[in-house]
Amino acid sequence: MRLLVIPLINLLVLLRVLLGLPFRLLGARSRPAYVRFRLAGNPPYRERPRRSRLPLGLGGQSRPEPATVTSLEGFRKALEVLAKDEKVKGILLVMEDLEVPPAKREVLVKLLEGFRAAGKRVVAWAVSVDNLGYQVMCAADEVLLSPAGRLELVGFAAEATTLGEGLGRLGIKAHFFRRGAYKTAPELFTHARVSDIERQTVESFLDERYVDLVDSVARGRRRTPEEVRAWIDSGPYSAKRAMAGGLIDGMCDEADLPARIGAKEDEEEGLEPMPMYLARLPWPPVRWRPLRPRPRLGVVPVSGMIVPGKGAAGRMAGSETVVKALRSAARNRSVKAVVLYVASPGGSAVASELMLEAVQRVAKKKPVIAFVDQVAASGGYMAALGAKEIWATPHAVVGSIGVFGGKFETSELMEKLGVHRTLITRGEVAGIYSSSRGFTERERALMEAEMEETYQAFLEHVAKARGRTTEEIHALGEGRVYSGTRALGVGLVDKLGGFEEACRHAMGLAKVPAEQRFDLQMYGGPDRGFSLLKLLLGGASAGTYAFCPTAWSLLGFKAGERFE
């Protein structure tokens, strides 16, 4: 049936192209010398598949304006088309509240550098831009700001929080146990001040990102690292100050951009988006339907805090949802390989281990690559261990091999509120989960033993997956957190690379030729929001968790839990 339908569809596509040819020929001479792109938010790696409601890395559901970059892959293809057109001089890149992780920023920079290497010009313009946006703009030939604009080049900051003293004032006591001096998660609830270990961990990540900021700006603006550091220490900047200091090349209102870059005066607003350019191209790129269906790569996201069940209301990766998604990907014969996209700081130790087992089962049937561009820490890293290889980007947060557990005691709070509860038990440890009191000595010993057992199991999982001894992993564990670059150095990940590279590698392991195109198919997906406090207070109060608050504080999780 497909052999009959697909030629018919391609014939209709060809007829459509031929019918529009006269109109495109009429406009071909007036096609723009510069094409406008709008870079905003967090564009996905690839366009969302039509058959799926789930974001494939993902933007919003509303239709964007024509100039908006809707995927990094689409942007790459557009630049390839423009680079081959002799009439096109370059592009205008309008920046608006860009919020991509460092991994996507690197992709954007490489795309712009490649476009410039083809002899084309890149002009970047913004009203207001921060560190991240400025790093992308520095890959352009010319950097412009609105006269009313600002450049928020100020370096990086992360706020580590402790709630111990505040909870105490409310009458809530946190009773937690942990395995690993670097497993600082319970300190959020038990400490009055941030510990030296937590501070040092955060500082190590800030150091790496600061060096990267200095290097990228120095390279793009052709300045020395010392000059860039002085720029950062003198920020933020008004557009006028930025221009006087040489941080930008000029100031220009949006309406004056066409004249500034030398676009044609008769063009609407002086610059046209990519769809308008294609409408004036005699032979635009056409996506023909293949006679044989393309091989598929399954993508299963583990996004947000890991919890048992379906995840429900919250940006949570429910073990039930992820396990079902993995099973579906394994059953689908057209799916040749699977990429486990991990963007999680961890969560429930039990749920994380269920995910690990499911990944291992799929990996016995087809290649599975775990990819991390933001965070795979603690339980998130545990889930990734079942893959054949773990790929990470240089600034991803990886590791935090350790566990903690405990409960909150609210007896003082209840007393302040005039609420009186009497705990009546049968059995020496029947009240272990009660929030009416703390742990007895017997209960403390049982909890300590459970933490040790869970931690040793975690070490064994990592040691087996990474081909190391538990002693070697323990030396890397105890809650220590690594960047992707450092994780590669100590052997916790296999390769550094981007999303497209990881996908192509996974298909290569499945014996799919490197030149053959493939489609992505999403399975499962993220839910809506999350609460660490809700996780720890809900269900069994004395649970066991594998969670990394350092990743939480570094990424802020504005969009960090979604497959983006």
Side-chain angles (χ1 to χ4, degrees):
M1 179 63 71
R2 184 180 179 89
L3 293 178
L4 297 175
V5 174
I6 295 302
L8 179 60
I9 293 176
N10 285 335
L11 179 60
L12 293 174
V13 172
L14 177 60
L15 289 174
R16 183 180 177 182
V17 172
L18 293 175
L19 289 173
L21 179 59
F23 301 97
R24 292 193 301 274
L25 288 174
L26 289 175
R29 293 184 178 180
S30 61
R31 65 180 184 266
Y34 285 86
V35 176
R36 176 168 56 92
F37 291 91
R38 175 178 175 267
L39 192 56
N42 191 352
Y45 288 105
R46 289 196 179 190
E47 298 287 352
R48 182 178 60 174
R50 293 181 180 179
R51 296 181 182 179
S52 172
R53 294 183 180 181
L54 299 170
L56 216 194
L58 252 250
Q61 300 298 318
S62 60
R63 180 174 295 181
E65 65 176 77
T68 301
V69 173
T70 56
S71 74
L72 300 187
E73 179 66 7
F75 188 44
R76 181 190 67 80
K77 291 179 179 178
L79 293 183
E80 284 185 355
V81 171
L82 297 174
K84 296 175 183 177
D85 191 338
E86 295 181 355
K87 291 188 176 182
V88 173
K89 295 180 179 179
I91 64 170
L92 170 69
L93 194 62
V94 176
M95 310 285 292
E96 293 183 15
D97 300 322
L98 189 65
E99 294 182 351
V100 297
K104 288 186 179 179
R105 185 256 302 164
E106 292 176 3
V107 173
L108 288 168
V109 168
K110 289 180 180 179
L111 290 177
L112 296 177
E113 290 177 343
F115 187 66
R116 293 175 61 190
K120 304 298 184 180
R121 182 184 177 204
V122 177
V123 179
W125 178 87
V127 174
S128 181
V129 68
D130 59 7
N131 297 324
L132 170 66
Y134 186 58
Q135 284 178 278
V136 175
M137 294 180 79
C138 284
D141 295 279
E142 189 172 8
V143 178
L144 305 175
L145 281 182
S146 165
R150 290 183 61 79
L151 172 57
E152 303 292 340
L153 182 65
V154 294
F156 297 101
E159 292 185 348
T161 302
T162 56
L163 304 175
E165 185 176 341
L167 292 176
R169 291 180 182 180
L170 293 174
I172 300 174
K173 295 180 180 178
H175 301 281
F176 282 90
F177 312 91
R178 64 179 177 181
R179 281 297 172 270
Y182 293 82
K183 194 66 182 179
T184 58
E187 293 180 4
L188 175 65
F189 306 105
T190 60
H191 282 41
R193 297 287 184 273
V194 175
S195 68
D196 290 339
I197 289 178
E198 177 73 357
R199 176 186 291 274
Q200 292 166 9
T201 301
V202 174
E203 285 180 345
S204 67
F205 281 90
L206 294 181
D207 287 342
E208 289 186 1
R209 295 185 182 185
Y210 180 77
V211 169
D212 180 63
L213 172 63
V214 171
D215 289 346
S216 61
V217 174
R219 183 174 63 254
R221 300 301 296 170
R222 295 183 176 82
R223 300 282 179 153
T224 65
E226 291 75 18
E227 289 176 302
V228 174
R229 284 191 286 268
W231 278 354
I232 295 171
D233 292 340
S234 299
Y237 295 86
S238 65
K240 185 176 181 180
R241 281 191 62 222
M243 183 173 176
L247 285 81
I248 64 174
D249 299 298
M251 296 183 294
C252 182
D253 287 318
E254 187 170 12
D256 298 327
L257 281 171
R260 169 83 189 198
I261 67 176
K264 298 176 182 179
E265 296 181 358
D266 58 344
E267 293 175 22
E268 183 181 355
E269 297 182 359
L271 296 161
E272 293 183 353
M274 191 67 184
M276 294 296 294
Y277 164 81
L278 293 176
R280 297 183 180 185
L281 201 61
W283 297 104
V286 177
R287 185 177 180 181
W288 303 105
R289 299 290 183 91
L291 288 177
R292 294 183 179 180
R294 296 192 185 97
R296 294 181 182 178
L297 172 71
V299 179
V300 178
V302 180
S303 301
M305 188 176 297
I306 295 174
V307 297
K310 295 182 179 180
R315 288 181 181 174
M316 300 179 180
S319 57
E320 182 179 333
T321 300
V322 173
V323 170
K324 285 184 177 179
L326 288 165
R327 288 174 180 169
S328 297
R331 287 194 300 265
N332 192 334
R333 294 182 179 180
S334 65
V335 172
K336 304 303 181 183
V338 175
V339 166
L340 187 77
Y341 178 88
V342 184
S344 173
S348 164
V350 173
S352 300
E353 192 157 355
L354 289 174
M355 292 182 185
L356 168 61
E357 293 172 356
V359 175
Q360 290 172 332
R361 287 196 296 271
V362 178
K364 292 178 180 179
K365 299 180 179 180
K366 54 189 67 177
V368 179
I369 298 296
F371 174 72
V372 189
D373 65 351
Q374 296 174 78
V375 53
S378 208
Y381 181 70
M382 182 188 293
L385 291 172
K388 181 177 179 62
E389 295 179 10
I390 301 176
W391 284 50
T393 54
H395 296 293
V397 180
V398 179
S400 191
I401 302 167
V403 297
F404 74 98
K407 68 177 183 179
F408 295 93
E409 178 190 350
T410 59
S411 56
E412 291 185 16
L413 174 61
M414 294 297 101
E415 185 177 346
K416 290 179 181 179
L417 297 175
V419 177
H420 302 282
R421 295 187 296 182
T422 301
L423 179 64
I424 303 172
T425 65
R426 292 295 183 273
E428 186 178 352
V429 296
I432 190 172
Y433 299 139
S434 173
S435 61
S436 299
R437 62 168 174 79
F439 293 108
T440 64
E441 288 301 318
R442 169 108 173 123
E443 291 167 348
R444 291 182 64 87
L446 291 171
M447 288 296 297
E448 291 278 5
E450 183 177 352
M451 293 305 105
E452 182 63 26
E453 181 182 352
T454 306
Y455 179 58
Q456 291 300 323
F458 199 165
L459 292 179
E460 290 172 6
H461 286 312
V462 180
K464 183 178 179 180
R466 306 308 301 169
R468 311 280 283 277
T469 66
T470 55
E471 292 76 15
E472 290 174 322
I473 299 302
H474 174 67
L476 302 174
E478 294 193 278
R480 292 178 176 86
V481 186
Y482 304 86
S483 66
T485 300
R486 284 182 281 135
L488 178 67
V490 299
L492 293 182
V493 302
D494 296 289
K495 293 182 181 179
L496 296 182
F499 177 73
E500 293 293 338
E501 294 171 282
C503 290
R504 173 51 66 186
H505 181 71
M507 295 301 277
L509 293 176
K511 309 301 182 183
V512 175
E515 66 278 3
Q516 185 171 355
R517 294 178 61 183
F518 59 90
D519 296 325
L520 301 190
Q521 182 166 338
M522 284 286 295
Y523 291 89
D527 294 296
R528 291 174 289 179
F530 76 91
S531 166
L532 174 59
L533 190 59
K534 181 179 179 181
L535 173 66
L536 299 184
L537 288 174
S541 300
T544 305
Y545 309 99
F547 179 78
C548 177
T550 301
W552 193 7
S553 61
L554 281 170
L555 298 177
F557 284 95
K558 294 178 181 177
E561 308 80 12
R562 296 175 181 261
F563 178 31
E564 299 187 297

